[in-house]
Amino acid sequence: MSNAVEIPFETTLLVRDTCLCLHVQRAARALARRFDEALRPFGLTNGQFSLMMSLNRPVPASMGSVTALLAIDQTTLTAALKPLERRGWVSIVPNPKDRRARLLSLTPAGKAALAAAVPIWKTTHAALEERLPDGNGDRLRSDLAILL
């Protein structure tokens, strides 16, 4: 005798058609692929571009401020920083106020690499926003912010 639980196929269709999480994940993956492709000639992924942009500040950033901005944990941030540090694009130094903490900043080479990629980011971003119903992403950004 089988005690297998059956989920109606209609439930599968309901989730496929209505699940906000699924739809946002699919859109995020599609956007990530598009930006990865656009940024590839600059040796960057979309995640690296966002991380480097988060370090484009007048003063070095704390690990905590970057993890909060990017909504990632410290282990993920540390792993993401390693290839950028190896390339000489990011500097990681002890915080003089707390030697256990680290401060992050772009190096001159990192700023140059990021600056070279910004025009293609702008072009790619503008093309995506043009596809939205109102021609810009303000409503989408606002709607997504509500979910945070």
Side-chain angles (χ1 to χ4, degrees), residues 26-87:
R26 289 178 65 203
R29 288 185 195 108
L31 288 171
R33 283 190 299 271
R34 183 170 299 215
F35 279 100
D36 281 346
E37 180 72 26
L39 295 168
R40 186 172 292 120
F42 303 95
L44 289 168
T45 65
N46 77 85
Q48 291 170 330
F49 179 87
S50 295
L51 172 52
M52 289 176 68
M53 193 56 73
S54 78
L55 301 179
N56 186 41
R57 306 173 183 209
V59 296
S62 69
M63 297 277 283
S65 68
V66 176
T67 59
L69 176 67
L70 299 178
I72 59 176
D73 61 52
Q74 188 164 335
T75 302
T76 302
L77 175 58
T78 299
L81 286 166
K82 285 180 182 180
L84 299 174
E85 185 181 30
R86 279 193 302 268
R87 292 174 85 172

Side-chain angles (χ1 to χ4, degrees), residues 6-140:
E6 292 295 325
I7 302 168
F9 184 62
E10 292 76 21
T11 303
T12 300
L13 298 176
L14 175 69
V15 170
R16 179 198 68 190
D17 296 342
T18 65
C19 179
L20 291 174
C21 189
L22 173 62
H23 285 262
V24 169
Q25 286 173 337
R26 289 178 65 203
R29 288 185 195 108
L31 288 171
R33 283 190 299 271
R34 183 170 299 215
F35 279 100
D36 281 346
E37 180 72 26
L39 295 168
R40 186 172 292 120
F42 303 95
L44 289 168
T45 65
N46 77 85
Q48 291 170 330
F49 179 87
S50 295
L51 172 52
M52 289 176 68
M53 193 56 73
S54 78
L55 301 179
N56 186 41
R57 306 173 183 209
V59 296
S62 69
M63 297 277 283
S65 68
V66 176
T67 59
L69 176 67
L70 299 178
I72 59 176
D73 61 52
Q74 188 164 335
T75 302
T76 302
L77 175 58
T78 299
L81 286 166
K82 285 180 182 180
L84 299 174
E85 185 181 30
R86 279 193 302 268
R87 292 174 85 172
W89 289 354
V90 171
S91 171
I92 305 170
V93 298
N95 184 336
K97 296 177 183 172
D98 178 357
R99 305 290 294 172
R100 297 167 298 169
R102 300 285 177 255
L103 294 176
L104 314 172
S105 59
L106 292 173
T107 65
K111 288 180 183 180
L114 187 60
V118 167
I120 197 67
W121 175 87
K122 286 182 178 180
T123 302
T124 304
H125 194 268
L128 287 166
E129 285 208 3
E130 285 177 13
R131 295 178 62 188
L132 297 174
D134 56 1
N136 72 56
D138 291 340
R139 172 144 184 233
L140 179 56

